[in-house]
Amino acid sequence: MKKIIHFFLLATSLLLISTSCDNGFDDLNTSKVAATSLDPISVLNNAIINSSPTTSLNYEMAIVQQWFTSNTGVNEGGNFNKKNISNTPSNWTNYYQNVIKYTNDVIIRTKSDAARSNLYNMARIVAANAFMVLTDTYGDVPYTEAGAGYTGSVFYPKYDNQQTIYNGIIAELTQATGALDAGTKIETADVLYSGNIAQWKKLGYSLLLRAGMRLSKADGAKAQATVAAAAAGGVILANADNATIKHDGNYVNGMGNAVNGSEAANYYLGAPFINALQSTNDPRLSSIAVRYVGATSGSGQTATVATTIAANQYGLPVGSTDGSADLAGGTLPGGGTHYAFSQVDRNRLVKRTSPMFLVTAGQCNLLLAEAAIRGWVTGGFAQASLYYNAGITAHMNQMASYDAGSAIAASVITAYLAIPANQLTTGTELQQIGYQYWIASFLHGPETWANFRRTGFPALTPNPFVGDIPAGSFITRITYPPSEILVNGANVQAGITSVGGDALNVKLWWNK
C-alpha cells in the first residue's frame, strides 16, 4: 500500500512539474523582438523588386537577336532554338512563385481595409503586370485561382485561357487605376514611386495601353477601346515618371549579377542589333556596347583594349557556336576569337546596381504613335510623328539613367532625328515604330519579345540553328516548367491542350 501511495505522489509531482513547464514554455520560446506581422507595404515591395525583368538572357533577348551566347550546355535556349528545362522556368519562378504570391497576400490583407485602399490597388497593378508576362510567356496559366495556396488552400489551381486572362488584366488595370485616390492614406514606403498617386495612375494606364495594343490583331475593337481609355487616363510620357526598379548591393540586378560573375565573358550583342544601329547612325550604340579588340579569352577583355566607338562594334552572328564564333572572330579588325565580339557594357548598362525599367516614356510614346496611325487616338500621321520623335528622344535620354558614361547629348539626339531616313515616313510607319520599340525596350526581354511577335517588326531573319523548332521559324512561346507538370499535372495538361501543345513554336492567342 505504501508503494502505491509513493507512486501516486511521484506521478502527481511529475504532472505538476510538466504543467508548470508547459505554462512557461510559450513565453520562453516566443521572441520579444521579432515582428509578428509584416506590414503589407513591405510585402508589396518584395513583389515590385521581383518584377524586375532580369531573367531573360537565355530566351527572350536571344530570340529577338539582341544579346545572347555562343555557349552550349547550361546557357542554351533561344540562341539555339532549344528547349532547356534549366532555363524555361525563369519567368515562372520570378513572376508566379514570387510576384503573384506576394501581391495575392497584399490583396487579401487590404481588400477590406478602406484606410489602405491605395495599397490594395497598387498591388492589383503590380499583379496585372506579372500576369501579362506570364501569359505572354507560356500561354494559359493559373489566373482566377492563382497564388491562393496559403490564403485559400487552392493547391492545384486551374489554368485559364489567354483571352480570359487578358480580359481580367484589362478589367483589373481599369478598376485599380481608377480607384487610386490621393485623398486617402499615401503609402510613402513603396519602393517604386514613394506613394505618388499621380505616378501610380500613369503606370496603371501605361500597362493598360500595353495590354490594349497586345490585342491589336486578336480583338481590334477591344484593343481600340482599351487604348483610347488608357490614353484618356494619362500614360507615362516623360522619363521622370518611368517605372524604375532600383537595384543596390542588397537587391542586385540579376542580369548584371550574371554578366559580372561567372558569365562575364560569355554574352555578346547580336549582329542584327549592331548592324541596325550602325546603319542609322544611332548614338545609342556607343552608349550600350563595348568591344575588347583582339581578345582571345575572358582575361583578355581589359580596359586597355576596350572601345565604345560605334564604327568599331561587331555583333556575334546569330546561331553561332563557340567554334564557329572563334573562326569569325579571327576575321575581325584586330583579330581575336569570339571574345572579341561586342558586348553590352557591364561597367555601364549592366552593373550589379544598374536600374531596370518596367514601363518607360520611350515605350509609351511609341505605342501611342502606332495608335495614332491606326486611328485609335486623335491626330493621325502628324500626331504619330510627334509621339515617334518623343519616344526616340525619351529612350536616348534614358541612357544616362544607367551611367553618366552612357548619356547622349541633346545636340546628338537632334542630329539623329534630322536624318531623313530616321523620320517617320508614310507607308512604313508600323515597321519604323516596331523597329524603334525593339530598341527602346532593350534589356526588357519579355516586352521586346512580346511586341516583336505581335507586330513582326523588325523583320529579322530566323535563327538558322536547327534546334527544337522547324528551320526558318521563331520561338513563339516557352514550355511549361517541369516542376509544375509534376505537381499540377492535370491542370497543366488542360493548358497544353488549350494552347495547342507544349512546344516552342506554338503561337499564343493574340499572336496572329
Side-chain angles (χ1 to χ4, degrees):
M1 184 67 181
K2 284 184 178 180
K3 288 182 179 179
I4 296 174
I5 293 171
H6 288 159
F7 179 79
F8 176 76
L9 291 173
L10 176 62
T12 303
S13 299
L14 290 173
L15 179 61
L16 290 172
I17 292 170
S18 174
T19 303
S20 176
C21 290
D22 287 347
N23 285 342
F25 185 80
D26 288 343
D27 289 337
L28 288 171
N29 289 277
T30 300
S31 171
K32 306 300 183 184
V33 294
T36 56
S37 179
L38 190 63
D39 191 317
I41 186 59
S42 298
V43 181
L44 180 62
N45 284 339
N46 271 328
I48 291 169
I49 292 166
N50 279 279
S51 297
S52 186
T54 58
T55 59
S56 53
L57 273 172
N58 293 314
Y59 273 103
E60 294 97 319
M61 298 195 69
I63 296 167
V64 298
Q65 303 179 5
Q66 291 178 327
W67 194 17
F68 50 87
T69 179
S70 56
N71 281 186
T72 55
V74 296
N75 292 327
E76 287 183 349
N79 54 337
F80 298 128
N81 289 326
K82 286 188 176 181
K83 173 183 174 180
N84 182 347
I85 60 174
S86 296
N87 299 321
T88 52
S90 60
N91 280 346
W92 187 273
T93 301
N94 206 44
Y95 292 94
Y96 189 81
Q97 295 181 351
N98 289 319
V99 180
I100 296 305
K101 176 178 69 177
Y102 295 139
T103 52
N104 184 69
D105 179 61
V106 177
I107 289 167
I108 292 295
R109 292 170 61 189
T110 60
K111 186 174 184 178
S112 300
D113 186 352
R116 306 201 79 174
S117 61
N118 283 329
L119 180 56
Y120 167 64
N121 290 304
M122 288 154 57
R124 295 167 75 191
I125 291 169
V126 174
N129 175 68
F131 279 121
M132 203 183 313
V133 173
L134 284 164
T135 191
D136 289 351
T137 301
Y138 302 103
D140 289 18
V141 296
Y143 179 70
T144 54
E145 295 181 353
Y150 176 72
T151 57
S153 297
V154 180
F155 303 118
Y156 307 104
K158 69 175 184 178
Y159 277 49
D160 296 284
N161 67 54
Q162 299 155 69
Q163 186 171 9
T164 297
I165 295 168
Y166 257 94
N167 286 340
I169 288 170
I170 289 169
E172 279 290 283
L173 289 170
T174 300
Q175 294 165 16
T177 307
L180 289 168
D181 184 0
T184 60
K185 178 179 170 61
I186 302 299
E187 302 289 345
T188 57
D190 103 71
V191 296
L192 195 59
Y193 289 125
S194 298
N196 187 309
I197 295 302
Q199 290 180 308
W200 270 99
K201 278 183 173 289
K202 288 178 183 178
L203 172 59
Y205 285 123
S206 297
L207 287 170
L208 187 64
L209 170 65
R210 180 179 288 181
M213 292 305 295
R214 201 78 89 231
L215 307 187
S216 60
K217 295 179 180 178
D219 188 343
K222 189 172 186 66
Q224 180 174 356
T226 303
V227 168
V235 301
I236 296 170
L237 297 177
N239 284 339
D241 296 320
N242 285 348
T244 309
I245 307 296
K246 301 176 182 69
H247 293 284
D248 58 23
N250 294 315
Y251 300 99
V252 298
N253 181 314
M255 227 175 261
N257 197 46
V259 299
N260 282 282
S262 60
E263 301 298 333
N266 292 333
Y267 285 87
Y268 296 85
L269 286 165
F273 189 64
I274 295 277
N275 296 342
L277 295 176
Q278 284 177 332
S279 68
T280 58
N281 296 308
D282 197 313
R284 286 171 286 194
L285 182 54
S286 292
S287 296
I288 293 169
V290 63
R291 189 168 82 87
Y292 298 98
V293 179
T296 57
S297 66
S299 60
Q301 295 176 340
T302 63
T304 57
V305 296
T307 176
T308 60
I309 297 171
N312 293 342
Q313 305 304 317
Y314 293 86
L316 186 71
V318 175
S320 296
T321 62
D322 279 352
S324 64
D326 282 342
L327 293 174
T331 68
L332 298 177
T337 59
H338 71 273
Y339 296 99
F341 281 101
S342 297
Q343 297 182 299
V344 180
D345 195 335
R346 55 184 177 267
N347 295 312
R348 292 184 294 161
L349 259 72
V350 284
K351 296 174 286 191
R352 285 185 170 91
T353 56
S354 290
M356 292 296 284
F357 297 89
L358 296 183
V359 188
T360 67
Q363 293 170 326
C364 290
N365 274 290
L366 289 168
L367 289 180
L368 287 176
E370 179 181 343
I373 292 298
R374 293 180 179 277
W376 294 353
V377 296
T378 60
F381 181 84
Q383 185 60 55
S385 294
L386 294 176
Y387 283 135
Y388 181 75
N389 289 344
I392 295 170
T393 300
H395 186 246
M396 288 188 178
N397 284 328
Q398 183 186 318
M399 301 309 296
S401 300
Y402 296 102
D403 190 90
S406 290
I408 301 174
S411 59
V412 174
I413 299 173
T414 300
Y416 174 84
L417 294 174
I419 298 172
N422 295 335
Q423 297 167 3
L424 196 63
T425 304
T426 303
T428 59
E429 305 100 317
L430 296 182
Q431 177 180 341
Q432 289 177 278
I433 294 167
Y435 165 77
Q436 287 294 341
Y437 200 88
W438 179 60
I439 301 172
S441 299
F442 181 66
L443 297 181
H444 192 316
E447 183 57 23
T448 314
W449 180 41
N451 204 63
F452 167 68
R453 284 176 287 166
R454 178 181 72 85
T455 65
F457 299 124
L460 302 171
T461 300
N463 185 336
F465 197 95
V466 179
D468 295 326
I469 59 173
S473 59
F474 286 94
I475 293 175
T476 49
R477 71 175 285 274
I478 293 175
T479 54
Y480 290 117
S483 60
E484 180 66 5
I485 294 172
L486 179 65
V487 173
N488 195 17
N491 287 315
V492 177
Q493 188 56 53
I496 290 172
T497 301
S498 174
V499 301
D502 195 22
L504 295 173
N505 63 328
V506 170
K507 287 191 173 184
L508 302 185
W509 164 70
W510 51 256
N511 185 12
K512 305 294 184 181

